[in-house]
Amino acid sequence: MTTAPHRIDVHQHLVPALYRDALAKARITQAGGRALPDWSPEAALDLMDLLRTDTAILSLSTPGTGFLTDPGEAAALARHLNDHCAVLAAERPDRFGWFATLPMPDVHASAGEAERALTELGADGVTLLANNQGAYLGAEGQDALWRVLDTHGAVVFVHPAELPAPAVDGIPPFAADFLLDTTRAAYLLVRNGVPRRHPNIRFILSHAGGFVPYASHRMAVAIAADTGRSPLDTLDDLRGFYYDTALSSSPAALPTLLAFARPGHVLFGSDWPFAPTPASQYFAGGLDSGVDPGTLAAVNRTNAEALFPRLAAKPPAPTPARPLPVRLRQSAQRAGARLFYRLIQPGTD
């Protein structure tokens, strides 16, 4: 590309020291089958400059606070994490936003922390794992949380967790189970009418919604048979979710997502640092080369500006020039990523 895309990345994670320490105390060293990656604000900014990203909305990945069995400890960790994120974003509001961590499956504690994060700390939204200790989003008993989020017109970033079942040998959870986990949550949210009862909540589904776009009509028929609702209404609810492109802007997945999602509902995501830099570059390259310029500009930025108006209040600021050796290295990395993307595409025979 000849001009910087000024991306807004709605799917980028942070692994602050206080969270890493809490996981280490519980003897947790991986998430979704991947070792916990190194992370720092400086490394995040390096990646963002490489991908030509202006702002990243940071979130915690699985397991969130769900590894803590004591509800009080989970609520305290969520508060500490949200206070940390608020400070980080306040120091660089042009580069970082954040989704608040909630201590699910404790619905009432989560509702209280969502209220605090959205009204006192300035969170851009909240993160909810698709399942929390086996309890899926959309299940009965969560209305107290949905009411708070609906009142604030909150953006809810839905991220997969490990399935409430043993992993299969040879299949790391992030590779396939995560997609099913998100799909299950989307199905249950729609099946139980959460988006209809709380229309002010804007849900973002990670990784292009898992299997949702591909299986949407099959799911709609199943929900119609179960509930008596029109399949068209169910499809409309599924299309009403927002979807990010993290690990999903491939020649196979991206056309399906763009064909299914409602216009304006596809957002850029990198999944860094759990997706290592080469993977983030690969899928960013797939987006850059796979859509027309108007769609690309919308996915990279303008669709997210509609969700996060503070980012649309001012035009994107020019990225400060890095030292020449850094610029040359990043240019070489981008060229190499583009070449690799072209070489790895399957043939047509």
Side-chain angles (χ1 to χ4, degrees), residues 48-222:
M48 291 161 64
D49 289 347
L50 179 64
L51 297 186
R52 297 182 171 126
T53 297
D54 277 359
T55 305
I57 313 296
L58 303 176
S59 59
L60 215 64
S61 185
T62 184
T65 64
F67 67 96
L68 295 168
T69 56
D70 183 293
E73 291 183 6
L77 178 58
R79 288 180 65 89
H80 291 321
L81 287 164
N82 292 334
D83 290 341
H84 174 86
C85 288
V87 171
L88 176 64
E91 291 174 347
R92 293 300 306 270
D94 57 328
R95 304 305 305 272
F96 294 125
W98 62 290
F99 292 125
T101 298
L102 303 184
M104 289 289 277
D106 188 329
V107 171
H108 293 286
S110 294
E113 185 59 16
E115 180 79 30
R116 185 182 83 96
L118 294 169
T119 61
E120 298 178 22
L121 301 183
D124 291 295
V126 304
T127 303
L128 289 175
L129 297 180
N131 90 83
N132 299 270
Q133 298 177 7
Y136 273 89
L137 301 182
E140 297 296 325
Q142 298 171 353
D143 281 349
L145 175 59
W146 302 135
R147 284 194 295 269
V148 168
L149 297 174
D150 186 73
T151 296
H152 292 289
V155 177
V156 175
F157 178 63
V158 178
H159 193 278
E162 296 191 26
L163 295 176
V168 176
D169 287 344
I171 305 177
F174 77 87
D177 294 355
F178 271 15
L179 304 176
L180 175 58
D181 202 48
T182 302
T183 304
R184 285 178 168 183
Y187 187 103
L188 204 57
L189 285 166
V190 169
R191 189 261 183 207
N192 290 342
V194 173
R196 298 230 161 193
R197 295 198 311 275
H198 304 283
N200 296 318
I201 301 174
R202 282 79 56 80
F203 291 95
I204 302 173
L205 302 183
S206 299
H207 311 116
F211 304 128
V212 170
Y214 184 82
S216 54
H217 288 252
R218 178 173 180 159
M219 293 164 62
V221 169

Side-chain angles (χ1 to χ4, degrees), residues 190 196 212-213 215-221 223 229-241 243 260 262:
V190 169
R196 298 230 161 193
V212 170
S216 54
H217 288 252
R218 178 173 180 159
M219 293 164 62
V221 169
I223 291 173
R229 291 173 51 200
S230 163
L232 292 177
D233 288 344
T234 298
L235 285 169
D236 191 56
D237 290 346
L238 292 170
R239 292 183 70 235
F241 290 126
Y243 298 83
F260 176 73
R262 189 175 294 166

Side-chain angles (χ1 to χ4, degrees), residues 23 26-27 39 101 138 144 160 182 184 191 270 289 304 336 347:
L23 292 174
R27 299 183 178 179
W39 177 87
T101 298
T182 302
R184 285 178 168 183
R191 189 261 183 207
S270 71
S289 62

